[in-house]
Amino acid sequence: MTGSEAPPAFRLAYVPGVTPTKWVRIWNERLPDTPLTLVGVPAAEAAGLLRDSGADAGFVRLPVDRTDLSAIPLYTETTVVVIPKDHAATAVEEMAAEDLAEEIVLHPLDDVLDWERPPGRPAFERPATTADAIELVAAGVGLLVVPQSLARLHHRKDLTYRPLTGVPESRIALSWPEEKTTDLVEEFIGIVRGRTVNSTRGRPPTPPQPKAGRGGAKKSGTPRKPAAGGAKSAKGGAKNPRAAAKRGKPRRRP
């Protein structure tokens, strides 16, 4: 490589709530000469970023259009409701969607849950972002339902959360453009799937060679060469066929 050539790099996108630290550390240990660049992206824009070659692969929230994007589902998140610490719901360990029927539940424009109908009573106006909704919860305007990772991301000392049942859940996947499955993408897929350094990365194993049985040399089509000096007799006799023939003649009687 000349001084003007830059080393190959890998660009990894990730949506809010995903923490790629573990996988980045393994990458740096295995490929120290290949820099990995993290690209933060809103969940709604992740698929477009991958299609526009803004990243080689990315952690996204499902669903994604698999017409041109490959995706490996990784895990499903717990859905929680974010509440003020002085809210009555702090007395329980878990809530159900029906428990929010009389509550104002904020529904931000960047919501990542696939709602048929959000629970609770809608607010007068939808917040622009989840961060804005968190501020409104802290102000006592309403409650917020999000994946647990987003509740942790926007943690505040005056807020807490409880698991919520009977509502959609968000799934995280590793995605990349199907037509751009490069060697570096394959390397990262192996890391995410827990493959070891010596893994074949899904390549088919070498087919076993057939074992030679009895008469295997003849089956191979290659004739065996006769031993030097002629064939031996069945009892391991002389190598000279004439000598063998003489010993085979009967003696004359006197």
Side-chain angles (χ1 to χ4, degrees):
M1 182 176 69
T2 63
S4 60
E5 293 178 342
F10 186 74
R11 297 161 301 167
L12 178 66
Y14 67 102
V15 297
V18 174
T19 305
T21 307
K22 176 182 69 173
W23 297 299
V24 173
R25 174 181 54 79
I26 297 174
W27 176 279
N28 291 332
E29 291 173 354
R30 296 187 184 179
L31 292 90
D33 297 328
T34 305
L36 186 152
T37 303
L38 290 174
V39 182
V41 59
E45 301 175 12
L49 181 75
L50 295 174
R51 290 190 179 98
D52 294 340
S53 300
D56 299 293
F59 292 108
V60 304
R61 291 188 182 275
L62 295 176
V64 296
D65 185 356
R66 301 205 185 186
T67 303
D68 55 347
L69 294 177
S70 296
I72 301 173
L74 300 177
Y75 57 90
T76 300
E77 289 197 78
T78 299
T79 302
V80 302
V81 55
V82 180
I83 56 178
K85 280 194 171 180
D86 58 358
H87 194 279
T90 56
V92 299
E93 295 183 356
E94 186 180 80
M95 298 180 68
E98 294 78 11
D99 298 332
L100 304 178
E102 300 302 320
E103 300 279 359
I104 292 178
V105 178
L106 303 166
H107 189 206
L109 296 176
D110 65 353
D111 182 69
V112 297
L113 297 172
D114 187 18
W115 295 105
E116 182 176 341
R117 183 183 181 279
R121 298 159 48 202
F124 178 75
E125 186 177 356
R126 292 183 65 181
T129 66
T130 297
D132 292 336
I134 289 289
E135 295 293 331
L136 294 174
V137 175
V141 174
L143 308 182
L144 176 64
V145 178
V146 291
Q148 185 172 323
S149 66
L150 292 182
R152 290 175 174 172
L153 178 65
H154 298 287
H155 170 73
R156 288 175 55 116
K157 292 182 178 180
D158 53 351
L159 299 180
T160 186
Y161 58 83
R162 292 292 184 269
L164 188 65
T165 62
V167 292
E169 296 175 319
S170 179
R171 293 190 297 159
I172 300 297
L174 176 66
S175 183
W176 68 95
E178 186 174 353
E179 294 183 355
K180 298 179 182 178
T181 309
T182 64
D183 288 344
L184 291 182
V185 170
E186 288 282 8
E187 287 286 352
F188 194 77
I189 292 171
I191 289 173
V192 170
R193 283 183 161 173
R195 295 179 188 146
T196 62
V197 178
N198 298 324
S199 171
T200 59
R201 296 191 299 163
R203 289 173 294 193
T206 303
Q209 299 297 322
K211 296 181 179 180
R214 295 181 179 179
K218 293 181 181 180
K219 292 181 180 180
S220 66
T222 304
R224 298 180 63 179
K225 295 181 179 181
K232 292 184 179 181
S233 66
K235 295 183 180 181
K239 296 181 181 179
N240 190 333
R242 290 186 177 181
K246 287 184 178 180
R247 285 198 298 269
K249 292 181 179 181
R251 294 182 180 181
R252 292 180 180 180
R253 292 183 180 180

